[in-house]
Amino acid sequence: MKILIIGKNSFLAKNFIKKYSRINKFFYFNLRFSNNYKNFLNNVYKYVNKKKINHIINFIGNNDNSIYPGHTDKILRDNFTLPINLVNLFKKKKINFTFFLSNEIDKIENSDENSIYALSKFFLLKSLRFITIKNKISYIKMDTVYGPYDLNFNRLIPSIMLKILFREKKIKVNLDQYKKLIYVDEILPLIIKTTKNKKLINIINARGKNYNILNLYKIINNPFHHKYPILSKSKNIYNFIKTLEWYKDNVWKIKKIIKKNRKII
């Protein structure tokens, strides 16, 4: 099977590629997705036909799930417009897809918790019912994923890691909350499983563990766990400590990103 990975620079894609590239034939499409998505789609179409791709995994997504996001057009473009157009592009070919949903969808009935992000994922799930297709579509509906390679410091866990690494009070993180989190290694086998999907529509639910974020922060920030991380395994903290170690090993890369974005730490 020939698998095309779109959005190879996402942290989820990087973990996936690292784990499975030696035993699967992956192809990568390097053209950047932007508002000029017609040009992007034309090039994808040519590439897929040339390489005889069987399955497309779309890792491109906009994870801004705040109630008042800054760029609503980009959220809809990345999370809804691109996947729908990809399916429509190949609706007469036997090319299958993997897309990612979010359990934020469950909040759309609550006006205090709803967001454009949740709606964009909801639209994606529902809209494919109105397209006559030959493709097999897999959705992975999941809670917030964390782990190595995530350099989006607007997200909860990366911002916590940043705060711990640089001991900087100016880094604001909402610690007074509960959040369902799932380690990236738990998602990866589900993704590879979708490449063998035989159903027209296949939805896989990936549920995380509900964490008190303040307590989690205190535990991760405890030097004892850094020195003896294996002792934290029974407390469901081991994966967070491993993730922190990755951030420590890549401080140079983090500083470069922060400097580029003109953030001061």
Side-chain angles (χ1 to χ4, degrees), residues 55-239:
H55 195 102
I56 297 175
I57 305 177
N58 177 44
F59 286 97
I60 291 178
N62 190 310
N63 295 316
D64 187 350
N65 63 352
S66 59
I67 297 177
Y68 304 107
H71 300 283
T72 57
D73 58 329
K74 292 182 179 180
I75 295 173
L76 289 170
R77 181 197 70 192
D78 295 352
N79 297 344
F80 174 69
T81 303
L82 172 60
I84 288 298
N85 276 278
L86 281 172
V87 173
N88 195 49
L89 193 65
F90 297 107
K91 65 182 180 181
K92 295 182 179 180
K93 294 181 177 290
K94 292 184 178 180
I95 295 170
N96 301 327
F97 293 89
T98 300
F99 297 123
F100 298 92
L101 300 177
S102 168
N103 285 320
E104 295 285 319
I105 287 176
D106 300 335
K107 299 178 180 179
I108 63 172
E109 299 294 336
N110 187 335
S111 59
D112 293 330
E113 296 183 296
N114 195 5
S115 65
I116 293 295
Y117 170 78
L119 286 170
S120 68
K121 295 293 188 178
F122 178 79
F123 293 156
L124 173 60
L125 174 63
K126 297 298 181 182
S127 62
L128 288 179
R129 294 183 304 166
F130 302 102
I131 303 177
T132 302
I133 57 176
K134 292 184 177 180
N135 324 84
K136 303 292 191 299
I137 309 293
S138 290
Y139 296 105
I140 299 179
K141 186 181 176 208
M142 56 194 183
D143 287 316
T144 299
V145 183
Y146 72 94
Y149 299 101
D150 192 351
L151 296 171
N152 181 354
F153 296 109
N154 292 318
R155 285 163 53 82
L156 178 62
I157 297 304
S159 62
I160 286 177
M161 298 302 175
L162 198 66
K163 191 174 183 68
I164 292 172
L165 278 177
F166 296 103
R167 308 291 176 183
E168 178 55 65
K169 293 181 180 179
K170 291 180 182 179
I171 300 172
K172 302 297 182 183
V173 183
N174 180 15
L175 299 175
D176 188 22
Q177 62 172 308
Y178 282 81
K179 191 79 172 178
K180 288 185 178 179
L181 304 170
I182 184 167
Y183 188 52
V184 66
D185 279 4
E186 296 178 46
I187 296 293
L188 304 183
L190 302 180
I191 301 173
I192 202 67
K193 185 179 178 181
T194 64
T195 63
K196 301 175 183 178
N197 171 43
K198 301 299 182 183
K199 298 180 182 177
L200 186 62
I201 298 292
N202 178 38
I203 301 177
I204 299 174
N205 286 292
R207 294 286 181 178
K209 175 180 169 57
N210 201 27
Y211 289 91
N212 179 317
I213 298 303
L214 179 58
N215 288 344
L216 178 65
Y217 172 76
K218 290 178 180 177
I219 294 171
I220 298 174
N221 203 23
N222 187 332
F224 174 82
H225 295 291
H226 302 179
K227 190 173 182 180
Y228 306 104
I230 196 65
L231 297 180
S232 303
K233 196 168 185 178
S234 60
K235 302 175 184 177
N236 296 307
I237 300 300
Y238 184 58
N239 289 332

